[in-house]
Amino acid sequence: MKIEIRHAEPEDADALQAIYTDEVLYTNTLQLPMPSKTLWRKRLTDIPDNMYMLVAEIEGEVVGSLGLQIMTSKRQRHVASFGVSVKTAAQGKGVGRALINAALDLADNWLDIRRIEITTYTDNTGAIGLYESLGFVIEGEMVDYAYRNGEYVNAYQMARIRKTKNG
């Protein structure tokens, strides 16, 4: 099984909308249930200059996405954050790792990003393990970070700092 990573195109809107209708998936993100196709078309048509949208495909089917956002503040242009989602049926097959590795390559070797951040719910143990295996560390816990399924939930702030030749 070959995972192909590429930049998202407006034509991917329907596939991404379908992925985000999965309750398991949107429960672990800040997305709301029942996303519209119009919302996804707009997101993929009006991508800001500081945002990179990647998708993962297996045998021509879009099975995941990653958005990498570069901070625009002059004092934080070395910082980016990302969000990643993988279709439930494709989880555990290396799709998330492939998406994150592609984003890390882009950030490290082409965009000169030193710090990459991710926020994840404290009960999303699979994602936490993946992020840690890629060099991310938990920097802190945010209490009552989001409202999910009728209750407030905590989240970890995680980051990976790219090492330079001078430290």
Side-chain angles (χ1 to χ4, degrees):
M1 169 187 70
K2 185 174 184 210
I3 301 166
E4 303 229 5
I5 307 297
R6 62 173 174 77
H7 284 275
E9 300 291 341
E11 297 79 27
D12 297 318
D14 289 353
L16 291 174
Q17 183 266 345
I19 289 172
Y20 280 91
T21 61
D22 181 344
E23 183 178 0
V24 172
L25 194 133
Y26 66 71
T27 297
N28 282 315
T29 70
L30 287 174
Q31 304 296 317
L32 292 172
M34 302 172 284
S36 72
K37 288 181 182 180
T38 302
L39 171 71
W40 277 100
R41 285 185 192 116
K42 182 174 177 7
R43 284 182 179 171
L44 294 179
T45 302
D46 299 328
I47 299 174
D49 290 341
N50 67 320
M51 175 73 84
Y52 297 86
M53 292 288 298
L54 306 177
V55 294
E57 288 184 329
I58 297 176
E59 297 177 7
E61 177 188 4
V62 175
V63 294
S65 68
L66 182 144
L68 178 70
Q69 183 175 11
I70 312 304
M71 302 303 165
T72 56
S73 165
K74 290 180 182 182
R75 294 178 63 192
Q76 285 190 300
R77 289 187 184 160
H78 66 288
V79 179
S81 64
F82 74 95
V84 62
S85 294
V86 175
K87 187 176 185 176
T88 301
Q91 290 181 5
K93 297 180 180 179
V95 175
R97 182 177 299 278
L99 280 163
I100 296 169
N101 278 330
L104 292 175
D105 178 64
L106 182 65
D108 292 350
N109 298 311
W110 301 100
L111 300 174
D112 195 22
I113 300 300
R114 181 167 164 82
R115 175 185 174 84
I116 300 181
E117 304 171 338
I118 181 74
T119 301
T120 188
Y121 296 123
T122 57
D123 60 0
N124 193 353
T125 56
I128 294 165
L130 172 61
Y131 304 147
E132 288 177 333
S133 75
L134 292 168
F136 289 80
V137 296
I138 296 171
E139 294 183 326
E141 183 172 345
M142 296 172 282
V143 176
D144 292 350
Y145 176 76
Y147 194 68
R148 179 183 72 182
N149 290 333
E151 63 184 15
Y152 291 101
V153 292
N154 295 357
Y156 289 132
Q157 176 66 38
M158 301 181 75
R160 171 193 169 269
I161 310 293
R162 177 175 47 96
K163 302 296 182 208
T164 61
K165 292 178 184 175
N166 299 327

